[in-house]
Amino acid sequence: MKTFSTEKELQAISAKLLKEGKTIGFVPTMGALHSGHISLIEAANEACDFSVCSIFVNPTQFDKQVDLDKYPITIEADKKLLEAANCDFLLLPSVAEVYPNGKDNYTAPDIGKIVGILEGKHRIGHFEGVMQVVERLLRMTLATDLFMGLKDYQQYLVCSKMTKVVGLDHVKVHGMPIVREKSGLAKSSRNVRLSKNGKELALNISKRLKKTRVLNYKNNIKRLEKKAEEFFEKFPEIELEYFEVVDKNTLMKPTGKDKKENLIALCAAWIDGVRLIDNMVLS
Ligand code: AMP
C-alpha cells in the first residue's frame, strides 16, 4: 500500500490509471478502522481495479468540539488493517491540504429537505460538512466509484444526491450493508469509548430495530415509534435522541397509506456520553 499526504502526489498516479481506463474505488473514513470499514475496502477491491482509502477526521462535520476532540486516532493499527485488506492507496491529508482556501469557505449545494431532518436536525451543519469533505476528497482522489456504509444511511443518500448536483455524476455510489458484532451491535469507531455496561445497554438499539421490523406488518408508524420510545424509557442510562420510521428512499413520513416494504427505522441515542446511530430496513 502506498501512502500519500498530498493531492498532487496521489493525482499523479490516479490520473495515469484513469488514462489507462482503470477504475478507482474510494472509501472515505475518519480512521479507528474496524471490520465495517474493511468491508468497504473489500467491496472496492472486488468492483474496481484500484482501491483508495482516506483517513481524515473532518473538522467541518462535527457540531460539538468535544466530539471532535475525543475522536479516536489509531493510525498505525489502521495501516496494518488496510495492508491486510490489500488496499492500494492511503490518503492521509492535513486540514490545510483538504481545505487550501480555508475550511469555512464553502457553500453547500441545495439537495433538498434531506439535510435538515433526522441526523441533520440533531447535528446542525453536519451534512454540509460531510458534503464538503466528500466532494473535495472525490476531486482529490479522482475516484470513479464511492463506497459508503449503510450504517450512515442518511449520509449515503445525501452523498448520492450531492454527487449528482456538483458535477460528479460520473461517480458510481455504492451503499454497503451494515457490519455488526455477533451480539447485533453495529460496529462503530465510537464503540471503544463505551464502558462494559454501556456496551450491554447499546445492544438494546439493534434489538429494538429488529423488534420494530417484526412488528411492522401489524402496526402503523406512529405505534411503532411510540412502542420504541416506551421501550427506551425503561433504560434511564440511554438517552434516546430519535427513533423514527420513515420512507427508505426519501426519509420522509410516507403520505397516504404506509407501504410497509418501503420503510426504514433509524435511531440515535447517547450512552456513556457516546452518540450511537443505527438503522434497519423494515421489509
Ligand atoms: P467513519 O469512519 O465512521 O466516517 O465511516 C467511514 C465509512 O465506513 C462510512 O461510509 C460508514 O458508513 C462506514 N461504516 C462505519 N461503520 C460501519 C459498519 N458497521 N458497517 C458498514 N459500514 C460502516
Side-chain angles (χ1 to χ4, degrees):
M1 181 174 70
K2 278 201 174 115
T3 301
F4 302 90
S5 55
T6 68
E7 172 176 21
K8 207 171 155 200
E9 289 169 301
L10 176 58
Q11 279 193 356
I13 295 197
S14 28
K16 199 164 152 264
L17 294 174
L18 290 184
K19 261 197 195 146
E20 292 166 5
K22 306 284 192 218
T23 51
I24 302 172
F26 174 49
V27 179
T29 81
M30 297 202 296
L33 302 183
H34 50 68
S35 52
H37 298 112
I38 297 304
S39 73
L40 302 180
I41 302 291
E42 286 166 354
N45 277 338
E46 180 93 21
C48 301
D49 298 313
F50 288 86
S51 54
V52 186
C53 178
S54 65
I55 297 180
F56 178 64
V57 183
N58 174 36
T60 71
Q61 71 187 70
F62 285 83
D63 57 334
K64 290 191 175 68
Q65 182 66 33
V66 50
D67 197 21
L68 172 61
D69 294 342
K70 280 192 187 165
Y71 206 84
I73 295 178
T74 57
I75 297 291
E76 288 315 311
D78 292 351
K79 279 187 178 169
K80 283 195 185 126
L81 287 176
L82 290 171
E83 294 267 8
N86 293 321
C87 180
D88 293 299
F89 307 122
L90 168 62
L91 177 63
L92 267 177
S94 63
V95 174
E97 184 69 18
V98 176
Y99 301 124
N101 302 320
K103 64 182 169 53
D104 302 325
N105 197 0
Y106 173 72
T107 309
D110 182 1
I111 59 159
K113 285 188 182 153
I114 193 167
V115 291
I117 56 174
L118 298 161
E119 286 298 285
K121 187 169 148 195
H122 292 273
R123 301 183 70 188
I124 303 298
H126 172 64
F127 285 126
E128 286 79 356
V130 167
M131 288 194 284
Q132 177 185 20
V133 76
V134 174
E135 177 184 352
R136 179 72 186 113
L137 291 170
L138 283 170
R139 296 193 193 283
M140 288 173 84
T141 56
L142 305 178
T144 56
D145 292 63
L146 171 64
F147 291 82
M148 306 202 92
L150 296 180
K151 154 104 178 0
D152 299 274
Y153 189 87
Q154 190 174 2
Q155 169 174 276
Y156 158 72
L157 289 183
V158 163
C159 289
S160 302
K161 279 177 183 270
M162 177 276 291
T163 54
K164 306 231 164 22
V165 302
V166 301
L168 290 169
D169 39 348
H170 58 279
V171 176
K172 194 169 168 203
V173 185
H174 306 252
M176 306 310 297
I178 301 176
V179 175
R180 297 180 180 280
E181 294 188 2
K182 267 198 193 125
S183 62
L185 178 66
K187 293 256 184 181
S188 165
S189 307
R190 291 185 158 97
N191 291 352
V192 295
R193 288 170 45 207
L194 291 171
S195 65
K196 199 162 169 265
N197 183 44
K199 218 168 165 189
E200 284 289 314
L201 282 166
L203 297 185
N204 289 302
I205 296 175
S206 56
K207 262 194 201 159
R208 192 63 218 178
L209 288 167
K210 266 190 218 152
K211 181 80 180 170
T212 303
R213 190 173 59 189
V214 173
L215 293 177
N216 180 32
Y217 279 89
K218 287 196 177 153
N219 293 270
N220 65 26
I221 288 176
K222 267 202 178 137
R223 193 156 164 75
L224 292 173
E225 291 176 343
K226 187 154 185 289
K227 277 172 171 271
E229 280 159 19
E230 283 167 4
F231 171 79
F232 283 107
E233 274 165 18
K234 289 192 283 188
F235 304 96
E237 306 99 317
I238 304 179
E239 192 191 319
L240 185 66
E241 210 167 76
Y242 64 79
F243 189 105
E244 285 204 41
V245 176
V246 291
D247 181 282
K248 71 175 179 192
N249 299 311
T250 61
L251 298 190
M252 301 299 214
K253 290 279 183 261
T255 46
K257 208 165 175 283
D258 310 347
K259 283 198 192 98
K260 301 254 171 226
E261 65 281 6
N262 279 346
L263 298 179
I264 184 168
L266 301 112
C267 177
W270 290 84
I271 298 173
D272 289 343
V274 182
R275 190 171 186 279
L276 300 172
I277 59 169
D278 198 355
N279 67 78
M280 207 169 276
V281 172
L282 299 186
S283 52

